[in-house]
Amino acid sequence: MAASTGPISLTVHGAAGRMGRRVVALGLADPDFQLVGAIDHGQSDQLGKDAGAVAGEAPAGIEISSDWPATGDKNTPQAVVDFSLPEAVDGCIAHCVQAGSPLVVATTGLSDQQKQSLSDAAASIPVVWAPSMSLAVNLSMKIAEQITAALKDVSGGLDVEILERHHRFKADAPSGTALKFGELIAGQLGESTTHVHGREGHTGARTREEIGYHAIRVGDNPGEHTIVFGMLGEKIELNVAASNRDCYASGALAAAKWLIHENKPAGLYSMFDVLGMSQD
C-alpha cells in the first residue's frame, strides 16, 4: 500500500447512527479527509439522504447507501471507519478484505468469533480495533496497569472495582471498555483473578482475587469509567469521563490517519499502537 499523498478517502460504516454522524461531521471538517462513502443498513430511514446533512453539517454530496463502492472503483476508500452494530460488522470486514481497505473498528459488543474474524482479516489488511477510541481512556488504561503493578502486593490486599456509566440506549453491559480495563488489571494481578458482575444477596466476604464490575445506564451519558483501587486505610479512584461523543469519533479518525500516514502493513493494531504506548 502506497503512502497517502493527499486527503485520505474515507468511508464511514454506520453513518446514520449517533457515532457515525459524528465521524462524518468531524471527517468533513478535517482537510486530511475526503468523504467518499457513507454506509448504513438496508432498513435505515436515512438511505438516499446526504450524509453531511444527516450529520447536521452542510451537504457533502455523498448519499447514505446500503451498498459498498465496487472493488476497484476510483472511489474505493483508503480507509473505512466502522461505528455500527455487532450484527453489521461481519459484512464490513468482508468488504474491506475484498477491497484491501485499511479498517478502523470502533463497534463494541463483538463476539469471540467476530474478534477472530478481525484477526483473520488482519492477515491481509491493517486493522485498528479497540473497545474505546478515546485517547483519554486508553491513557487511563495504561495508568491503571501501572497502579495495579505497584499495589498488587500491598499489605492487607488490593481490591479493584470497575464502575461504568453509559446512556440508556447502550445494548451491551458491562461496556467493552470496562472489560478491557479488567483484562489489563487482571494481567497484572495474575491468573487466579476472577471477574464478578454485580453483587446481590448474601455474597459473603469479598475475596482478594475479585475484580468487580458495575454497569449503570442513565440518560444520555456518553461514557464514564471509574476504577476504584481499595486498600486498608486508603484508596485511589481513577476516573475518565466523556462530555460528548466527539472524543470517540476523533480518536477513530486519528487511528485512520495513523494507518495511512504511517503506511502500516497488514496486522491487528490497538489504540496503544496509535498512541505509541505499546510495549515491545
PDB file of all heavy atoms in Angstrom, residues 62-95:
ATOM      1  N   ILE A  62     -22.474  13.276  -0.784  1.00  0.00           N
ATOM      2  CA  ILE A  62     -22.385  11.824  -0.629  1.00  0.00           C
ATOM      3  C   ILE A  62     -23.665  11.334   0.023  1.00  0.00           C
ATOM      4  O   ILE A  62     -23.995  11.756   1.132  1.00  0.00           O
ATOM      5  CB  ILE A  62     -21.164  11.407   0.234  1.00  0.00           C
ATOM      6  CG1 ILE A  62     -19.862  11.875  -0.421  1.00  0.00           C
ATOM      7  CG2 ILE A  62     -21.156   9.901   0.462  1.00  0.00           C
ATOM      8  CD1 ILE A  62     -19.543  11.201  -1.738  1.00  0.00           C
ATOM      9  N   GLU A  63     -24.391  10.475  -0.672  1.00  0.00           N
ATOM     10  CA  GLU A  63     -25.628   9.934  -0.119  1.00  0.00           C
ATOM     11  C   GLU A  63     -25.351   8.720   0.763  1.00  0.00           C
ATOM     12  O   GLU A  63     -24.438   7.941   0.487  1.00  0.00           O
ATOM     13  CB  GLU A  63     -26.581   9.526  -1.246  1.00  0.00           C
ATOM     14  CG  GLU A  63     -27.160  10.692  -2.018  1.00  0.00           C
ATOM     15  CD  GLU A  63     -28.195  10.244  -3.039  1.00  0.00           C
ATOM     16  OE1 GLU A  63     -28.387   9.017  -3.202  1.00  0.00           O
ATOM     17  OE2 GLU A  63     -28.816  11.125  -3.665  1.00  0.00           O
ATOM     18  N   ILE A  64     -26.138   8.573   1.817  1.00  0.00           N
ATOM     19  CA  ILE A  64     -26.064   7.370   2.634  1.00  0.00           C
ATOM     20  C   ILE A  64     -26.666   6.207   1.845  1.00  0.00           C
ATOM     21  O   ILE A  64     -27.764   6.319   1.299  1.00  0.00           O
ATOM     22  CB  ILE A  64     -26.802   7.559   3.969  1.00  0.00           C
ATOM     23  CG1 ILE A  64     -26.114   8.666   4.784  1.00  0.00           C
ATOM     24  CG2 ILE A  64     -26.843   6.252   4.765  1.00  0.00           C
ATOM     25  CD1 ILE A  64     -26.807   8.981   6.095  1.00  0.00           C
ATOM     26  N   SER A  65     -25.936   5.119   1.775  1.00  0.00           N
ATOM     27  CA  SER A  65     -26.331   3.975   0.963  1.00  0.00           C
ATOM     28  C   SER A  65     -26.108   2.693   1.741  1.00  0.00           C
ATOM     29  O   SER A  65     -25.311   2.649   2.691  1.00  0.00           O
ATOM     30  CB  SER A  65     -25.510   3.952  -0.334  1.00  0.00           C
ATOM     31  OG  SER A  65     -25.748   2.767  -1.072  1.00  0.00           O
ATOM     32  N   SER A  66     -26.800   1.642   1.337  1.00  0.00           N
ATOM     33  CA  SER A  66     -26.541   0.326   1.926  1.00  0.00           C
ATOM     34  C   SER A  66     -25.568  -0.471   1.061  1.00  0.00           C
ATOM     35  O   SER A  66     -25.207  -1.597   1.409  1.00  0.00           O
ATOM     36  CB  SER A  66     -27.849  -0.455   2.082  1.00  0.00           C
ATOM     37  OG  SER A  66     -28.481  -0.620   0.815  1.00  0.00           O
ATOM     38  N   ASP A  67     -25.135   0.109  -0.061  1.00  0.00           N
ATOM     39  CA  ASP A  67     -24.239  -0.572  -0.994  1.00  0.00           C
ATOM     40  C   ASP A  67     -22.827  -0.013  -0.874  1.00  0.00           C
ATOM     41  O   ASP A  67     -22.621   1.210  -0.879  1.00  0.00           O
ATOM     42  CB  ASP A  67     -24.726  -0.390  -2.440  1.00  0.00           C
ATOM     43  CG  ASP A  67     -26.101  -1.007  -2.668  1.00  0.00           C
ATOM     44  OD1 ASP A  67     -26.368  -2.072  -2.084  1.00  0.00           O
ATOM     45  OD2 ASP A  67     -26.901  -0.406  -3.416  1.00  0.00           O
ATOM     46  N   TRP A  68     -21.874  -0.925  -0.797  1.00  0.00           N
ATOM     47  CA  TRP A  68     -20.472  -0.519  -0.768  1.00  0.00           C
ATOM     48  C   TRP A  68     -20.007  -0.151  -2.171  1.00  0.00           C
ATOM     49  O   TRP A  68     -20.504  -0.682  -3.160  1.00  0.00           O
ATOM     50  CB  TRP A  68     -19.609  -1.665  -0.250  1.00  0.00           C
ATOM     51  CG  TRP A  68     -19.783  -1.955   1.194  1.00  0.00           C
ATOM     52  CD1 TRP A  68     -20.666  -2.822   1.763  1.00  0.00           C
ATOM     53  CD2 TRP A  68     -19.054  -1.376   2.280  1.00  0.00           C
ATOM     54  NE1 TRP A  68     -20.533  -2.823   3.131  1.00  0.00           N
ATOM     55  CE2 TRP A  68     -19.546  -1.945   3.475  1.00  0.00           C
ATOM     56  CE3 TRP A  68     -18.026  -0.434   2.361  1.00  0.00           C
ATOM     57  CZ2 TRP A  68     -19.051  -1.607   4.721  1.00  0.00           C
ATOM     58  CZ3 TRP A  68     -17.520  -0.095   3.609  1.00  0.00           C
ATOM     59  CH2 TRP A  68     -18.035  -0.674   4.775  1.00  0.00           C
ATOM     60  N   PRO A  69     -19.017   0.759  -2.264  1.00  0.00           N
ATOM     61  CA  PRO A  69     -18.421   1.029  -3.580  1.00  0.00           C
ATOM     62  C   PRO A  69     -17.823  -0.251  -4.163  1.00  0.00           C
ATOM     63  O   PRO A  69     -17.284  -1.089  -3.428  1.00  0.00           O
ATOM     64  CB  PRO A  69     -17.318   2.053  -3.274  1.00  0.00           C
ATOM     65  CG  PRO A  69     -17.688   2.647  -1.957  1.00  0.00           C
ATOM     66  CD  PRO A  69     -18.391   1.564  -1.202  1.00  0.00           C
ATOM     67  N   ALA A  70     -17.928  -0.408  -5.461  1.00  0.00           N
ATOM     68  CA  ALA A  70     -17.380  -1.608  -6.103  1.00  0.00           C
ATOM     69  C   ALA A  70     -15.869  -1.653  -5.934  1.00  0.00           C
ATOM     70  O   ALA A  70     -15.180  -0.634  -6.027  1.00  0.00           O
ATOM     71  CB  ALA A  70     -17.743  -1.616  -7.580  1.00  0.00           C
ATOM     72  N   THR A  71     -15.341  -2.855  -5.661  1.00  0.00           N
ATOM     73  CA  THR A  71     -13.899  -3.024  -5.532  1.00  0.00           C
ATOM     74  C   THR A  71     -13.222  -2.612  -6.836  1.00  0.00           C
ATOM     75  O   THR A  71     -13.628  -3.026  -7.918  1.00  0.00           O
ATOM     76  CB  THR A  71     -13.562  -4.482  -5.213  1.00  0.00           C
ATOM     77  OG1 THR A  71     -14.229  -4.852  -4.004  1.00  0.00           O
ATOM     78  CG2 THR A  71     -12.067  -4.669  -5.042  1.00  0.00           C
ATOM     79  N   GLY A  72     -12.206  -1.786  -6.739  1.00  0.00           N
ATOM     80  CA  GLY A  72     -11.511  -1.320  -7.922  1.00  0.00           C
ATOM     81  C   GLY A  72     -12.045  -0.004  -8.442  1.00  0.00           C
ATOM     82  O   GLY A  72     -11.436   0.626  -9.295  1.00  0.00           O
ATOM     83  N   ASP A  73     -13.200   0.452  -7.951  1.00  0.00           N
ATOM     84  CA  ASP A  73     -13.756   1.738  -8.344  1.00  0.00           C
ATOM     85  C   ASP A  73     -12.844   2.859  -7.844  1.00  0.00           C
ATOM     86  O   ASP A  73     -12.169   2.722  -6.821  1.00  0.00           O
ATOM     87  CB  ASP A  73     -15.156   1.897  -7.738  1.00  0.00           C
ATOM     88  CG  ASP A  73     -15.850   3.175  -8.196  1.00  0.00           C
ATOM     89  OD1 ASP A  73     -15.665   4.195  -7.502  1.00  0.00           O
ATOM     90  OD2 ASP A  73     -16.549   3.135  -9.222  1.00  0.00           O
ATOM     91  N   LYS A  74     -12.845   3.976  -8.560  1.00  0.00           N
ATOM     92  CA  LYS A  74     -11.962   5.082  -8.176  1.00  0.00           C
ATOM     93  C   LYS A  74     -12.298   5.615  -6.793  1.00  0.00           C
ATOM     94  O   LYS A  74     -11.474   6.256  -6.151  1.00  0.00           O
ATOM     95  CB  LYS A  74     -12.047   6.211  -9.207  1.00  0.00           C
ATOM     96  CG  LYS A  74     -13.421   6.884  -9.272  1.00  0.00           C
ATOM     97  CD  LYS A  74     -13.427   8.011 -10.278  1.00  0.00           C
ATOM     98  CE  LYS A  74     -14.802   8.698 -10.343  1.00  0.00           C
ATOM     99  NZ  LYS A  74     -14.800   9.813 -11.328  1.00  0.00           N
ATOM    100  N   ASN A  75     -13.511   5.371  -6.328  1.00  0.00           N
ATOM    101  CA  ASN A  75     -13.909   5.834  -5.001  1.00  0.00           C
ATOM    102  C   ASN A  75     -13.703   4.796  -3.908  1.00  0.00           C
ATOM    103  O   ASN A  75     -14.148   4.985  -2.793  1.00  0.00           O
ATOM    104  CB  ASN A  75     -15.381   6.266  -5.010  1.00  0.00           C
ATOM    105  CG  ASN A  75     -15.587   7.600  -5.703  1.00  0.00           C
ATOM    106  OD1 ASN A  75     -14.707   8.449  -5.677  1.00  0.00           O
ATOM    107  ND2 ASN A  75     -16.724   7.772  -6.346  1.00  0.00           N
ATOM    108  N   THR A  76     -13.049   3.672  -4.255  1.00  0.00           N
ATOM    109  CA  THR A  76     -12.751   2.695  -3.211  1.00  0.00           C
ATOM    110  C   THR A  76     -11.958   3.392  -2.107  1.00  0.00           C
ATOM    111  O   THR A  76     -10.929   4.007  -2.374  1.00  0.00           O
ATOM    112  CB  THR A  76     -11.944   1.519  -3.771  1.00  0.00           C
ATOM    113  OG1 THR A  76     -12.725   0.849  -4.752  1.00  0.00           O
ATOM    114  CG2 THR A  76     -11.581   0.538  -2.663  1.00  0.00           C
ATOM    115  N   PRO A  77     -12.417   3.353  -0.868  1.00  0.00           N
ATOM    116  CA  PRO A  77     -11.796   4.162   0.182  1.00  0.00           C
ATOM    117  C   PRO A  77     -10.402   3.673   0.557  1.00  0.00           C
ATOM    118  O   PRO A  77     -10.083   2.492   0.476  1.00  0.00           O
ATOM    119  CB  PRO A  77     -12.753   3.995   1.368  1.00  0.00           C
ATOM    120  CG  PRO A  77     -13.405   2.677   1.127  1.00  0.00           C
ATOM    121  CD  PRO A  77     -13.549   2.568  -0.372  1.00  0.00           C
ATOM    122  N   GLN A  78      -9.556   4.623   0.932  1.00  0.00           N
ATOM    123  CA  GLN A  78      -8.279   4.255   1.511  1.00  0.00           C
ATOM    124  C   GLN A  78      -8.459   3.800   2.952  1.00  0.00           C
ATOM    125  O   GLN A  78      -7.616   3.097   3.477  1.00  0.00           O
ATOM    126  CB  GLN A  78      -7.324   5.448   1.456  1.00  0.00           C
ATOM    127  CG  GLN A  78      -6.770   5.757   0.080  1.00  0.00           C
ATOM    128  CD  GLN A  78      -5.906   6.993   0.111  1.00  0.00           C
ATOM    129  OE1 GLN A  78      -6.405   8.102  -0.006  1.00  0.00           O
ATOM    130  NE2 GLN A  78      -4.621   6.823   0.285  1.00  0.00           N
ATOM    131  N   ALA A  79      -9.518   4.231   3.598  1.00  0.00           N
ATOM    132  CA  ALA A  79      -9.755   3.849   4.989  1.00  0.00           C
ATOM    133  C   ALA A  79     -11.252   3.764   5.238  1.00  0.00           C
ATOM    134  O   ALA A  79     -12.029   4.568   4.722  1.00  0.00           O
ATOM    135  CB  ALA A  79      -9.121   4.856   5.948  1.00  0.00           C
ATOM    136  N   VAL A  80     -11.629   2.785   6.031  1.00  0.00           N
ATOM    137  CA  VAL A  80     -13.017   2.618   6.464  1.00  0.00           C
ATOM    138  C   VAL A  80     -13.050   2.737   7.983  1.00  0.00           C
ATOM    139  O   VAL A  80     -12.241   2.103   8.677  1.00  0.00           O
ATOM    140  CB  VAL A  80     -13.588   1.248   6.034  1.00  0.00           C
ATOM    141  CG1 VAL A  80     -14.961   1.005   6.674  1.00  0.00           C
ATOM    142  CG2 VAL A  80     -13.686   1.163   4.517  1.00  0.00           C
ATOM    143  N   VAL A  81     -13.952   3.560   8.497  1.00  0.00           N
ATOM    144  CA  VAL A  81     -14.198   3.640   9.940  1.00  0.00           C
ATOM    145  C   VAL A  81     -15.553   3.020  10.210  1.00  0.00           C
ATOM    146  O   VAL A  81     -16.571   3.460   9.658  1.00  0.00           O
ATOM    147  CB  VAL A  81     -14.156   5.097  10.448  1.00  0.00           C
ATOM    148  CG1 VAL A  81     -14.613   5.159  11.904  1.00  0.00           C
ATOM    149  CG2 VAL A  81     -12.751   5.664  10.322  1.00  0.00           C
ATOM    150  N   ASP A  82     -15.568   2.001  11.049  1.00  0.00           N
ATOM    151  CA  ASP A  82     -16.795   1.279  11.376  1.00  0.00           C
ATOM    152  C   ASP A  82     -17.271   1.676  12.764  1.00  0.00           C
ATOM    153  O   ASP A  82     -16.595   1.420  13.761  1.00  0.00           O
ATOM    154  CB  ASP A  82     -16.549  -0.230  11.321  1.00  0.00           C
ATOM    155  CG  ASP A  82     -17.704  -1.013  11.932  1.00  0.00           C
ATOM    156  OD1 ASP A  82     -18.763  -1.075  11.286  1.00  0.00           O
ATOM    157  OD2 ASP A  82     -17.548  -1.534  13.057  1.00  0.00           O
ATOM    158  N   PHE A  83     -18.433   2.300  12.817  1.00  0.00           N
ATOM    159  CA  PHE A  83     -19.125   2.606  14.070  1.00  0.00           C
ATOM    160  C   PHE A  83     -20.565   2.145  13.880  1.00  0.00           C
ATOM    161  O   PHE A  83     -21.479   2.939  13.703  1.00  0.00           O
ATOM    162  CB  PHE A  83     -19.095   4.103  14.370  1.00  0.00           C
ATOM    163  CG  PHE A  83     -18.186   4.501  15.494  1.00  0.00           C
ATOM    164  CD1 PHE A  83     -17.154   5.393  15.284  1.00  0.00           C
ATOM    165  CD2 PHE A  83     -18.377   4.005  16.779  1.00  0.00           C
ATOM    166  CE1 PHE A  83     -16.322   5.787  16.316  1.00  0.00           C
ATOM    167  CE2 PHE A  83     -17.545   4.393  17.824  1.00  0.00           C
ATOM    168  CZ  PHE A  83     -16.506   5.284  17.588  1.00  0.00           C
ATOM    169  N   SER A  84     -20.773   0.832  13.875  1.00  0.00           N
ATOM    170  CA  SER A  84     -22.084   0.297  13.534  1.00  0.00           C
ATOM    171  C   SER A  84     -22.636  -0.535  14.686  1.00  0.00           C
ATOM    172  O   SER A  84     -22.610  -0.095  15.834  1.00  0.00           O
ATOM    173  CB  SER A  84     -21.994  -0.521  12.241  1.00  0.00           C
ATOM    174  OG  SER A  84     -21.089  -1.604  12.368  1.00  0.00           O
ATOM    175  N   LEU A  85     -23.139  -1.712  14.371  1.00  0.00           N
ATOM    176  CA  LEU A  85     -23.663  -2.656  15.351  1.00  0.00           C
ATOM    177  C   LEU A  85     -22.970  -4.001  15.141  1.00  0.00           C
ATOM    178  O   LEU A  85     -22.515  -4.299  14.025  1.00  0.00           O
ATOM    179  CB  LEU A  85     -25.174  -2.822  15.191  1.00  0.00           C
ATOM    180  CG  LEU A  85     -26.024  -1.577  15.445  1.00  0.00           C
ATOM    181  CD1 LEU A  85     -27.473  -1.832  15.027  1.00  0.00           C
ATOM    182  CD2 LEU A  85     -25.956  -1.178  16.915  1.00  0.00           C
ATOM    183  N   PRO A  86     -22.891  -4.834  16.181  1.00  0.00           N
ATOM    184  CA  PRO A  86     -22.198  -6.115  16.016  1.00  0.00           C
ATOM    185  C   PRO A  86     -22.706  -6.938  14.830  1.00  0.00           C
ATOM    186  O   PRO A  86     -21.909  -7.555  14.112  1.00  0.00           O
ATOM    187  CB  PRO A  86     -22.462  -6.824  17.351  1.00  0.00           C
ATOM    188  CG  PRO A  86     -22.608  -5.712  18.331  1.00  0.00           C
ATOM    189  CD  PRO A  86     -23.318  -4.614  17.581  1.00  0.00           C
ATOM    190  N   GLU A  87     -24.024  -6.915  14.599  1.00  0.00           N
ATOM    191  CA  GLU A  87     -24.573  -7.726  13.512  1.00  0.00           C
ATOM    192  C   GLU A  87     -24.191  -7.200  12.134  1.00  0.00           C
ATOM    193  O   GLU A  87     -24.365  -7.908  11.124  1.00  0.00           O
ATOM    194  CB  GLU A  87     -26.091  -7.829  13.619  1.00  0.00           C
ATOM    195  CG  GLU A  87     -26.819  -6.518  13.735  1.00  0.00           C
ATOM    196  CD  GLU A  87     -27.083  -6.095  15.172  1.00  0.00           C
ATOM    197  OE1 GLU A  87     -26.254  -6.415  16.061  1.00  0.00           O
ATOM    198  OE2 GLU A  87     -28.111  -5.439  15.409  1.00  0.00           O
ATOM    199  N   ALA A  88     -23.664  -5.995  12.062  1.00  0.00           N
ATOM    200  CA  ALA A  88     -23.268  -5.418  10.771  1.00  0.00           C
ATOM    201  C   ALA A  88     -21.768  -5.522  10.506  1.00  0.00           C
ATOM    202  O   ALA A  88     -21.321  -5.265   9.384  1.00  0.00           O
ATOM    203  CB  ALA A  88     -23.693  -3.949  10.706  1.00  0.00           C
ATOM    204  N   VAL A  89     -21.010  -5.882  11.525  1.00  0.00           N
ATOM    205  CA  VAL A  89     -19.547  -5.843  11.397  1.00  0.00           C
ATOM    206  C   VAL A  89     -19.019  -6.879  10.412  1.00  0.00           C
ATOM    207  O   VAL A  89     -18.061  -6.608   9.671  1.00  0.00           O
ATOM    208  CB  VAL A  89     -18.895  -6.007  12.790  1.00  0.00           C
ATOM    209  CG1 VAL A  89     -17.401  -6.260  12.673  1.00  0.00           C
ATOM    210  CG2 VAL A  89     -19.159  -4.779  13.637  1.00  0.00           C
ATOM    211  N   ASP A  90     -19.622  -8.058  10.375  1.00  0.00           N
ATOM    212  CA  ASP A  90     -19.104  -9.125   9.510  1.00  0.00           C
ATOM    213  C   ASP A  90     -19.059  -8.689   8.047  1.00  0.00           C
ATOM    214  O   ASP A  90     -18.068  -8.927   7.347  1.00  0.00           O
ATOM    215  CB  ASP A  90     -19.954 -10.392   9.653  1.00  0.00           C
ATOM    216  CG  ASP A  90     -19.845 -11.013  11.040  1.00  0.00           C
ATOM    217  OD1 ASP A  90     -18.794 -10.838  11.681  1.00  0.00           O
ATOM    218  OD2 ASP A  90     -20.805 -11.662  11.483  1.00  0.00           O
ATOM    219  N   GLY A  91     -20.131  -8.047   7.587  1.00  0.00           N
ATOM    220  CA  GLY A  91     -20.164  -7.581   6.206  1.00  0.00           C
ATOM    221  C   GLY A  91     -19.120  -6.515   5.941  1.00  0.00           C
ATOM    222  O   GLY A  91     -18.519  -6.472   4.856  1.00  0.00           O
ATOM    223  N   CYS A  92     -18.881  -5.655   6.923  1.00  0.00           N
ATOM    224  CA  CYS A  92     -17.868  -4.614   6.793  1.00  0.00           C
ATOM    225  C   CYS A  92     -16.480  -5.225   6.673  1.00  0.00           C
ATOM    226  O   CYS A  92     -15.678  -4.828   5.812  1.00  0.00           O
ATOM    227  CB  CYS A  92     -17.942  -3.679   7.997  1.00  0.00           C
ATOM    228  SG  CYS A  92     -16.719  -2.353   7.990  1.00  0.00           S
ATOM    229  N   ILE A  93     -16.193  -6.211   7.514  1.00  0.00           N
ATOM    230  CA  ILE A  93     -14.889  -6.872   7.457  1.00  0.00           C
ATOM    231  C   ILE A  93     -14.689  -7.530   6.099  1.00  0.00           C
ATOM    232  O   ILE A  93     -13.629  -7.389   5.464  1.00  0.00           O
ATOM    233  CB  ILE A  93     -14.770  -7.918   8.585  1.00  0.00           C
ATOM    234  CG1 ILE A  93     -14.789  -7.239   9.962  1.00  0.00           C
ATOM    235  CG2 ILE A  93     -13.487  -8.742   8.419  1.00  0.00           C
ATOM    236  CD1 ILE A  93     -14.879  -8.208  11.124  1.00  0.00           C
ATOM    237  N   ALA A  94     -15.712  -8.245   5.637  1.00  0.00           N
ATOM    238  CA  ALA A  94     -15.606  -8.953   4.354  1.00  0.00           C
ATOM    239  C   ALA A  94     -15.337  -7.981   3.217  1.00  0.00           C
ATOM    240  O   ALA A  94     -14.500  -8.242   2.338  1.00  0.00           O
ATOM    241  CB  ALA A  94     -16.879  -9.751   4.090  1.00  0.00           C
ATOM    242  N   HIS A  95     -16.043  -6.843   3.220  1.00  0.00           N
ATOM    243  CA  HIS A  95     -15.822  -5.866   2.159  1.00  0.00           C
ATOM    244  C   HIS A  95     -14.399  -5.322   2.190  1.00  0.00           C
ATOM    245  O   HIS A  95     -13.744  -5.204   1.146  1.00  0.00           O
ATOM    246  CB  HIS A  95     -16.804  -4.704   2.265  1.00  0.00           C
ATOM    247  CG  HIS A  95     -16.419  -3.564   1.362  1.00  0.00           C
ATOM    248  ND1 HIS A  95     -16.682  -3.567   0.020  1.00  0.00           N
ATOM    249  CD2 HIS A  95     -15.730  -2.408   1.624  1.00  0.00           C
ATOM    250  CE1 HIS A  95     -16.194  -2.466  -0.526  1.00  0.00           C
ATOM    251  NE2 HIS A  95     -15.621  -1.741   0.431  1.00  0.00           N
TER     252      HIS A  95
END
